Amino acid sequence: MRRAWIVGVLTGLLLLGACSDPSDGPEVPPPAPDVSRAATTHQRAQPSPRTSAAVVAPRVLYLGDSIATEAQQVLGQELRRSLRATYTSAPYSGTTPCDYLEGTGKKSLVPDRDKAAALVRALHPDVVVLQFWGNAWGYTWCMDGISHAAAPRKYFSRYRADLRRLTEQIAAAGGERRPRIVWVAQGPDPMTPDRVRRVNELYEAQAAASGDVVADAGAAVAPAGSRYTWAQYLPCTAYEHEHPDYCTQPDRDRTAMHIDKDYLHFCLAPTTPTPKPCPVRSPGILRMAQEISRVVGSS
């Protein structure tokens, strides 16, 4: 129990941080990245003029925790490039689905203006992308102290209920223009692999129950044929070979998913107390963003 508590505290500290801000450039080469001042900054990627009636240009809202915080610029770039999307992101590090529920008051890390339903009413998105690692350490106030380590059955039951409530609030806020929800399945966790598997199953069950979809972005950062095996390095993809900045160890035909001291985040820059988008090219982030963008385009 003590080991699990220590791991939980360390993981909580990681989730509350985000990437540092060195000067080695944006995550993706052209087009230029969106400007972001903090993790809670809304980023609106304006669509390019349509060239034909067949071009789809959805309005996309992206919410989530520190995994979303570090990925928000890259996902916006991918959505603009492939779908000409209008994009808004409002992730908050350290959060879990209940933080985005209306009615949580001061027990939430997300202010009322950025609750999922509030943003749906204000922005009228076609798609809401939700990405949460699962908050297993009991920090987030709206979880009422329920943690996976102390009470796994209660944790999963509460998580399931929060997914349902969040779906209902988003649907009600959308009204006749109810947005499609894309739940993002998470990558492997070396400390509690079964927890991530169960959380992803909850996303799949909720999506099936409400007519929504799951983007299995976590599979893009897991070894082929071993979905829940954690790996710091994976073989370079064809895209990464064509773009050498993303194949970090070409002589060994592999690229980094994580830095040495952070098994959770995919930004290849250290986390800091100030949440912000990842400032360096990071293969894991791009892989997940490409899969999310693909699913958004097919939904």
Side-chain angles (χ1 to χ4, degrees), residues 58-92:
R59 294 181 296 275
V60 180
L61 173 63
Y62 183 43
L63 308 176
D65 56 19
S66 61
I67 303 297
T69 297
E70 67 181 10
Q72 59 186 309
Q73 278 189 354
V74 180
L75 179 59
Q77 291 169 0
E78 288 301 307
L79 289 169
R80 284 185 313 186
R81 184 176 301 148
S82 61
L83 303 175
R84 300 174 182 262
T86 298
Y87 172 73
T88 302
S89 63
Y92 284 80

Side-chain angles (χ1 to χ4, degrees), residues 117 120-121 166-176 178-179:
V120 168
R121 286 190 293 268
L166 189 55
T167 298
E168 291 170 351
Q169 289 191 2
I170 289 172
E176 295 182 357
R178 186 243 200 236

Side-chain angles (χ1 to χ4, degrees), residues 60-64 68 75 79 87-88 125 127-132 170 180-184 215 292-293 296:
V60 180
L61 173 63
Y62 183 43
L63 308 176
L75 179 59
L79 289 169
Y87 172 73
T88 302
V127 179
V128 178
V129 179
L130 300 170
Q131 183 164 13
F132 298 97
I170 289 172
R180 194 81 179 272
I181 296 174
V182 175
W183 297 98
V184 180
I292 294 169
S293 183
V296 169

Side-chain angles (χ1 to χ4, degrees), residues 252-283:
R252 304 178 68 176
D253 189 28
R254 70 179 194 176
T255 193
M257 296 292 105
H258 308 271
I259 58 175
D260 289 343
K261 296 182 179 180
D262 188 343
Y263 64 81
L264 171 62
H265 296 97
F266 296 91
C267 183
L268 299 186
T271 57
T272 71
T274 304
K276 62 185 68 176
C278 184
V280 299
R281 293 177 177 85
S282 299

Side-chain angles (χ1 to χ4, degrees), residues 127-248:
V127 179
V128 178
V129 179
L130 300 170
Q131 183 164 13
F132 298 97
W133 178 74
N135 182 9
W137 71 96
Y139 171 81
T140 303
W141 304 315
C142 66
M143 286 291 286
D144 298 319
I146 300 172
S147 69
H148 175 262
R153 182 175 298 181
K154 193 173 183 181
Y155 165 82
F156 289 121
S157 178
R158 171 62 183 276
Y159 206 83
R160 181 185 300 109
D162 287 340
L163 299 187
R164 183 174 61 251
R165 287 181 61 201
L166 189 55
T167 298
E168 291 170 351
Q169 289 191 2
I170 289 172
E176 295 182 357
R177 297 181 59 182
R178 186 243 200 236
R180 194 81 179 272
I181 296 174
V182 175
W183 297 98
V184 180
Q186 298 306 290
D189 175 0
M191 302 306 298
T192 56
D194 186 61
R195 183 198 63 80
V196 170
R197 185 195 307 269
R198 292 280 304 276
V199 165
N200 286 345
E201 289 172 353
L202 292 179
Y203 294 148
E204 292 170 1
Q206 180 57 53
S210 56
D212 294 304
V213 294
V214 172
D216 192 3
V221 292
S226 189
R227 173 63 177 81
Y228 288 99
T229 298
W230 183 89
Q232 184 176 4
Y233 297 92
L234 291 177
C236 295
T237 64
Y239 177 92
E240 289 159 359
H241 280 300
E242 293 171 3
H243 300 77
D245 287 338
Y246 289 98
C247 190
T248 59

